[in-house]
Amino acid sequence: MQRKWWHKQVAYQIYPKSFRDTTGNGIGDIRGITEKLDYIKDLGADIIWLSPCYCSPLADQGYDISDYYKIDPRFGSNEDLYELIREAEKRGIKILMDLVINHCSDEHAWFQEALRDPYGERAKYFFFEKEVDGHAPNNWRSYFGGSAWEKVPGTDLYYLHLFDRKQPDLNWENPKMRQEIYDMINWWLDRGVAGFRIDAIMNIKKTFPFAAWSFQPDRNDGLSTVSQMISKAEGLGDLLTDLKNHTFRPHDAFTVGEVFNEKPEDLPKIIGEEGYFSTMFDFNETIFGQNNKGWYSWQMITPEDYKKCVFETQSRVGDRALIATIIENHDEPRGVSHYLPEGEQTVEAKKLLGTLQFFARGIPFIYQGQEIGMENKPFASIEEVDDVSSKDQYQVALQNGLTEAEALKVVSLYSRDNARTPMQWDDSENAGFTSGTPWLSVNPNKDVINVKAEAEDPDSVLSWYKKMIRLRKDAVYGDTIVYGTFESYLPDVPGLMSFFRRGEDHTLLIAANMQREEQDLTLPGEVKALLLNNGGALQIEGGRLHLQGWQVVVLEI
Ligand code: GLC
């Protein structure tokens, strides 16, 4: 594998709206990020991925862009962003922007123009279709619920939106549209961004003609998820190659794709030496237990399932590339609430989960607050929820016979708002996030879980993340952690997740006891060094390692 500058790095995702507000309007801003650069530097992360902060009506919190070239005034100005890039660079930190190019906002000038002249040039940037028998062209359901088609008032036309109706899909078949997107990407690269996280990108290739693609309804709303059509589309690779050649490749940009449901044989085309992207996220754990029916029917993941998902990804990717590892992001519940069983959100278990992420082969992406062990937010009523998809899923649950209390419980388990509550900097009223009223209320556990308290505590989750990052950059062990092969050890022992990382000069054994009960395991060799331990003294007797509940150790063997 050819070595790249980004292999050894650790990335940190910022959701600007919830990170740090310097103006008191209750919404985080770019200057707030600049203010916290030293914190990120001290943590040890070297890449920051910014969720969208472009002009947007915020129907989907910025994933609906109305001007690709301009920072939304609520987040600051372009000058603020350039300053952030400069200040980050001084600290050796690179900035990735979020690239949302499957769709834009219905308030984007292109779409406004298209609405004024639905048969004109600009309309060809989108998908406008004639109604069929007075109805939408087919029965696709958008990802956020309801039809994927929205009627254009006063016409017999509908436009396609895979996500919210305020997010019309862009027509990637149109070379003029593509060129405008490429120009915009190059414009940002010329301004010093190091690359992009690429949103919903597997959706840009559609199947045609649309009217021929009606599917069996998969819920009682008579609709069928649009992902069926996407999974049948042919020719995505040509579009992605064209995109890369016109933009990322000439700039040697770092790119991470939001890739779901790829066909296993496509993996080498997606990432690796000649891949469309530098890397992509490992969503194997994220999608475990999901189906098309809705959140109310999803199956919760157990530690055993989690282990199988990670091992499966690692064997699929092998050593041909480095995948981007996560336990959470702005679309998911908090990892420690989701992957650790209910009631097990202890400091030790949180450290264990982070260790499994950081020592799997890949590039770790931390989501803001993960490093202090932030947890899901309890919701007292659906009125407290902001997220479009959570509101839809609440209704889906009710329609399927759940009571309001049960539906709220489902939303609490999966809501994207869990990850979007303000960052907890200290234990003050608004957790040091804002002096005003936060746009989404702060998690009451900020009294205990916050940066200030954890920075002073050598045994905190935050201090553990710092240790893990230092180790990844360590002169002796760094190469093994980044490039070493991954090999499972005793995969069939319940409650145990252990694996080797074998490098040229060192072999590490990571052993994690994912349960409350203690357990022993036979060591595969003599212990040369103890690199990390979240529990008490290391207990080895007669070649057996004894682990306390939720203990994890990283050993050199
Ligand atoms: C991606 C984003 C998500 C957004 C969607 C539509 O999945 O991560 O937040 O809602 O795309 O842009």
Side-chain angles (χ1 to χ4, degrees):
M1 206 170 75
Q2 202 190 329
R3 300 208 165 185
K4 292 280 191 184
W5 64 263
W6 38 268
H7 284 164
K8 288 204 170 173
Q9 313 259 354
V10 171
Y12 188 88
Q13 180 190 352
I14 291 182
Y15 197 69
K17 200 172 178 188
S18 304
F19 192 61
R20 164 77 183 129
D21 169 24
T22 59
T23 64
N25 68 354
I27 292 177
D29 45 57
I30 309 283
R31 288 191 175 183
I33 300 170
T34 309
E35 183 190 296
K36 297 294 184 185
L37 278 175
D38 285 333
Y39 167 74
I40 294 166
K41 171 84 184 156
D42 181 52
L43 176 65
D46 357 54
I47 294 178
I48 293 175
W49 150 28
L50 291 184
S51 273
C53 43
Y54 314 92
C55 284
S56 165
L58 302 188
D60 184 22
Q61 299 303 354
Y63 285 89
D64 46 320
I65 298 173
S66 54
D67 187 342
Y68 285 103
Y69 289 90
K70 237 183 123 210
I71 299 303
D72 193 289
R74 279 167 287 196
F75 296 126
S77 64
N78 282 44
E79 203 30 67
D80 291 343
L81 188 87
Y82 307 148
E83 190 195 7
L84 170 65
I85 295 173
R86 283 194 302 270
E87 287 299 318
E89 199 178 355
K90 283 186 199 159
R91 294 163 176 83
I93 296 174
K94 297 199 156 66
I95 303 287
L96 303 184
M97 298 283 275
D98 213 309
L99 195 57
V100 188
I101 51 180
N102 172 68
H103 45 266
C104 59
S105 162
D106 65 339
E107 297 183 26
H108 192 288
W110 294 343
F111 192 73
Q112 288 297 311
E113 226 179 287
L115 283 184
R116 285 194 293 274
D117 182 8
Y119 291 96
E121 277 304 297
R122 211 54 107 177
K124 295 184 188 134
Y125 279 36
F126 301 91
F127 297 108
F128 286 91
E129 290 277 309
K130 275 223 157 87
E131 61 185 21
V132 177
D133 302 331
H135 298 290
N138 61 35
N139 74 339
W140 293 341
R141 180 191 311 104
S142 76
Y143 291 121
F144 291 159
S147 173
W149 295 97
E150 182 75 11
K151 180 130 187 171
V152 183
T155 71
D156 58 356
L157 294 173
Y158 281 75
Y159 68 86
L160 179 68
H161 61 89
L162 264 43
F163 293 87
D164 189 64
R165 63 175 182 81
K166 285 187 67 63
Q167 295 168 297
D169 277 55
L170 288 163
N171 180 359
W172 277 76
E173 306 304 316
N174 181 346
K176 266 193 171 165
M177 192 295 295
R178 291 205 301 267
Q179 191 56 52
E180 294 222 39
I181 293 286
Y182 299 161
D183 291 346
M184 175 274 289
I185 295 173
N186 288 324
W187 187 88
W188 279 110
L189 288 168
D190 290 340
R191 263 145 202 84
V193 308
F196 300 94
R197 174 269 186 182
I198 310 177
D199 184 74
I201 192 67
M202 304 306 267
N203 292 285
I204 62 173
K205 187 74 196 183
K206 278 53 174 185
T207 45
F208 307 97
F210 288 144
W213 291 94
S214 267
F215 296 96
Q216 280 298 330
D218 55 18
R219 289 187 198 165
N220 49 17
D221 59 4
L223 303 175
S224 154
T225 173
V226 78
S227 62
Q228 294 208 43
M229 172 274 282
I230 292 299
S231 67
K232 294 200 165 49
E234 300 280 345
L236 173 65
D238 296 338
L239 290 181
L240 296 179
T241 304
D242 199 57
L243 165 65
K244 177 181 170 178
N245 288 342
H246 283 90
T247 55
F248 316 137
R249 190 199 287 269
H251 284 87
D252 196 22
F254 172 62
T255 55
V256 45
E258 190 197 23
V259 176
F260 281 103
N261 300 329
E262 78 283 1
K263 300 178 186 103
E265 67 273 19
D266 285 346
L267 193 83
K269 294 183 219 151
I270 301 175
I271 55 172
E273 231 97 286
E274 279 308 306
Y276 311 131
F277 313 118
S278 314
T279 185
M280 64 187 235
F281 294 110
D282 174 17
F283 287 126
N284 217 18
E285 303 78 45
T286 315
I287 61 171
F288 180 90
Q290 299 187 357
N291 60 45
N292 289 337
K293 300 220 168 308
W295 293 354
Y296 77 93
S297 69
W298 288 5
Q299 184 195 332
M300 283 302 276
I301 187 166
T302 66
E304 276 306 289
D305 301 324
Y306 181 84
K307 169 169 79 179
K308 286 188 189 121
C309 288
V310 174
F311 286 178
E312 196 275 326
T313 296
Q314 291 290 325
S315 80
R316 193 159 29 92
V317 179
D319 49 14
R320 67 161 74 96
L322 293 183
I323 197 152
T325 62
I326 56 165
I327 63 165
E328 62 196 42
N329 63 28
H330 66 291
D331 290 331
E332 306 302 329
R334 288 289 179 174
V336 295
S337 300
H338 187 64
Y339 296 116
L340 300 173
E342 211 176 330
E344 301 291 352
Q345 283 63 32
T346 59
V347 168
E348 286 70 36
K350 289 176 182 182
K351 291 177 181 174
L352 175 142
L353 186 63
T355 310
L356 296 176
Q357 179 200 354
F358 265 70
F359 287 83
R361 194 170 189 276
I363 304 161
F365 273 65
I366 299 172
Y367 176 70
Q368 67 183 45
Q370 173 186 334
E371 75 280 16
I372 55 169
M374 279 179 66
E375 299 173 8
N376 280 356
K377 161 113 199 311
F379 298 112
S381 90
I382 192 67
E383 274 70 52
E384 288 179 16
V385 176
D386 170 273
D387 166 39
V388 278
S389 73
S390 302
K391 288 180 180 160
D392 169 56
Q393 292 287 346
Y394 180 75
Q395 293 305 328
V396 171
L398 292 181
Q399 283 151 15
N400 282 279
L402 275 73
T403 63
E404 286 185 3
E406 288 164 345
L408 190 65
K409 169 91 180 146
V410 168
V411 168
S412 301
L413 288 177
Y414 295 106
S415 177
R416 307 197 294 179
D417 281 356
N418 281 311
R420 300 177 181 183
T421 61
M423 177 71 183
Q424 292 163 206
W425 297 105
D426 58 38
D427 64 358
S428 64
E429 194 190 344
N430 294 318
F433 163 66
T434 179
S435 58
T437 308
W439 73 278
L440 197 62
S441 58
V442 170
N443 194 321
N445 66 18
K446 51 95 182 150
D447 290 342
V448 187
I449 301 174
N450 66 69
V451 169
K452 187 161 180 279
E454 296 196 25
E456 289 157 7
D457 174 3
D459 293 325
S460 66
V461 178
L462 178 60
S463 299
W464 184 264
Y465 269 82
K466 287 186 192 170
K467 278 185 210 151
M468 292 197 296
I469 298 176
R470 305 278 179 277
L471 209 46
R472 186 177 173 86
K473 296 175 191 288
D474 186 81
V476 179
Y477 296 108
D479 268 12
T480 306
I481 295 168
V482 176
Y483 295 108
T485 57
F486 182 101
E487 189 190 314
S488 65
Y489 179 59
L490 305 174
D492 299 326
V493 176
L496 177 73
M497 180 161 166
S498 58
F499 51 91
F500 297 108
R501 298 296 314 283
R502 292 187 197 278
E504 281 174 17
D505 305 317
H506 305 277
T507 296
L508 305 183
L509 175 72
I510 293 83
N513 185 18
M514 301 173 86
Q515 58 184 14
R516 219 177 249 196
E517 298 73 34
E518 309 183 355
Q519 73 168 310
D520 285 3
L521 67 135
T522 303
L523 284 169
E526 190 196 324
V527 174
K528 293 190 186 149
L530 170 64
L531 305 188
L532 282 177
N533 175 12
N534 71 341
L538 192 65
Q539 296 178 54
I540 301 175
E541 227 188 282
R544 306 254 316 152
L545 169 67
H546 181 76
L547 292 174
Q548 303 288 331
W550 297 108
Q551 187 173 8
V552 65
V553 292
V554 178
L555 306 169
E556 184 182 11
I557 289 286

